[in-house]
Amino acid sequence: MATIITPDLCDEYPEVEVVAPGFNNYGGIKAFGGEIVTVKCFEDNSVVKEQVGLPGKGRVMVVDGGGSMRHALLGDMLAEKAASNGWAGLIIYGCVRDVDEIGKTDLGVQALATYPRKSEKRGLGDLDVPVTFHGVTFRPGHYVYADNNGIVVSQRPLV
């Protein structure tokens, strides 16, 4: 994959949607992108856990955790599983934990914040539904690109 630099993507493709600021980079890969897979869940990462166990095929999981600051939706073990199964990264509208280990993982991870409490496991969540947060709707099959400058979304592959 070509180098991802979101300001350059914005300059070259003015039609991209730009996600409002507020996300931090936690993964070992600081610039990543790929086709979007969505998960909508609230304080329950059951569907995230299920998905990272499947082949990622270079895709990016966009997780709408409702912006919750009470539970982490990703930790080091799930991040390692995602990396080993070929996911390019995860963008989480919520929290992550075990960030020192996640930072050593060959995976892109952006989230709002860190929080040490793990999520609940109730088997709840939706897969491959449009999710909206920070001013952008993420649709399965569209593309997302992220780096230290921000996150952009496109209907088609850009790199």
Side-chain angles (χ1 to χ4, degrees):
M1 178 182 272
T3 302
I4 294 169
I5 303 171
T6 57
D8 291 351
L9 293 176
C10 288
D11 292 350
E12 189 171 345
Y13 305 99
E15 73 275 10
V16 299
E17 294 183 83
V18 180
V19 177
F23 287 82
N24 299 298
N25 230 335
Y26 296 106
I29 296 177
K30 299 302 181 192
F32 61 97
E35 186 178 347
I36 295 171
V37 171
T38 62
V39 173
K40 185 174 180 77
C41 58
F42 185 73
E43 299 182 356
D44 179 345
N45 72 348
S46 300
V47 178
V48 174
K49 182 178 181 180
E50 190 177 277
Q51 290 302 301
V52 299
L54 300 174
K57 302 175 186 170
R59 296 174 296 170
V60 175
M61 190 183 312
V62 176
V63 180
D64 180 355
S68 174
M69 296 289 164
R70 301 185 310 182
H71 294 274
L73 296 175
L74 181 76
D76 60 338
M77 291 187 293
L78 293 186
E80 182 57 44
K81 185 177 276 195
S84 65
N85 283 327
W87 289 89
L90 288 92
I91 296 171
I92 300 175
Y93 183 49
C95 293
V96 296
R97 67 186 206 157
D98 303 315
V99 295
D100 294 333
E101 289 304 312
I102 289 175
K104 299 174 191 171
T105 304
D106 195 22
L107 183 71
V109 176
Q110 289 211 9
L112 296 178
T114 63
Y115 195 75
R117 187 178 311 278
K118 68 181 178 178
S119 84
E120 299 175 0
K121 304 283 190 292
R122 299 181 311 261
L124 302 175
D126 296 311
L127 177 66
D128 284 334
V129 296
V131 297
T132 302
F133 54 83
H134 278 239
V136 172
T137 298
F138 300 83
R139 291 177 173 82
H142 285 190
Y143 292 80
V144 64
Y145 303 94
D147 65 8
N148 283 326
N149 297 292
I151 302 169
V152 300
V153 176
S154 172
Q155 293 182 16
R156 61 187 176 90
L158 303 178
V159 294

